[in-house]
């Protein structure tokens, strides 16, 4: 299966709405956005058509209304998007991306603890394979 085309920022926001809603009509997707981030109604309609054409959502008819549902799990889209970002900006290397995020965005003490736990678990797993 050929790779799906990447999502634009607007398409990703509309896809996020569909993921959170499970399935939704165009109007429900439009209403999902908070007032301060509300998209134009026609833009939501366009993004849903693009998502369907790119294979990210499917639509079924319920009377005269289209109901949209995700065809691709959010985790898969995140994996693909982060992989593309890593390739384009960091030559596919994980550590420079992680260091950039930590240095540029900073992390809380709780996030530091969670990161340390994840690294400890990774080290334990790697040691068990040696």
């Amino acid at each position: 299966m050929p790779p799906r085309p990447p999502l634009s920022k607007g398409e990703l926001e509309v896809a996020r709405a569909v993921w959170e809603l499970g399935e939704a009509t165009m109007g429900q997707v439009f209403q999902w956005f908070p007032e301060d981030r509300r998209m134009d109604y026609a833009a939501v309609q366009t993004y849903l058509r693009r998502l369907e054409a790119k294979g990210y959502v499917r639509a079924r008819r319920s009377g005269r209304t289209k109901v949209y549902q995700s065809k691709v799990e959010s985790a898969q889209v995140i994996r693909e998007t982060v992989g593309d970002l890593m390739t384009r900006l960091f030559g596919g290397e994980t550590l420079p991306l992680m260091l950039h995020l930590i240095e540029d965005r900073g992390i809380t003490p709780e996030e530091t603890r969670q990161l340390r736990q994840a690294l400890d678990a990774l080290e334990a797993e790697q040691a068990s394979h040696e």
Side-chain angles (χ1 to χ4, degrees):
M1 177 171 147
R4 285 178 300 279
L7 297 178
S8 69
K9 181 181 175 184
E11 291 166 345
L12 189 55
E13 287 187 65
V14 170
R16 186 176 298 117
V18 174
W19 291 324
E20 286 193 23
L21 294 167
E23 66 174 29
T25 64
M26 214 274 300
Q28 290 168 322
V29 172
F30 175 76
Q31 289 297 320
W32 178 85
F33 289 93
E35 197 65 41
D36 63 330
R37 287 188 31 236
R38 185 75 31 101
M39 278 189 197
D40 181 69
Y41 195 82
V44 172
Q45 191 173 35
T46 298
Y47 287 138
L48 283 168
R49 275 199 301 264
R50 287 182 190 169
L51 288 169
E52 187 177 11
K54 289 181 175 185
Y56 286 92
V57 301
R58 68 175 60 88
R60 65 176 169 75
R61 287 266 178 207
S62 178
R64 293 176 36 168
T65 305
K66 275 189 170 183
V67 179
Y68 295 90
Q69 185 177 27
S70 179
K71 284 178 66 174
V72 182
E73 296 290 325
S74 61
Q76 179 66 31
V77 175
I78 291 168
R79 187 177 305 111
E80 292 168 1
T81 303
V82 171
D84 179 58
L85 177 76
M86 280 178 43
T87 299
R88 288 186 296 118
L89 295 179
F90 300 99
E93 296 184 32
T94 304
L95 185 59
L97 171 61
M98 292 173 52
L99 291 174
H100 169 76
L101 291 172
I102 291 168
E103 292 166 0
D104 188 59
R105 302 286 177 138
I107 60 175
T108 66
E110 174 59 21
E111 291 168 330
T112 300
R113 185 187 65 71
Q114 290 174 0
L115 181 57
R116 187 167 285 115
Q117 283 180 334
L119 290 172
D120 290 345
L122 179 61
E123 284 179 341
E125 182 182 323
Q126 289 171 339
S128 71
H129 286 82
E130 289 179 352

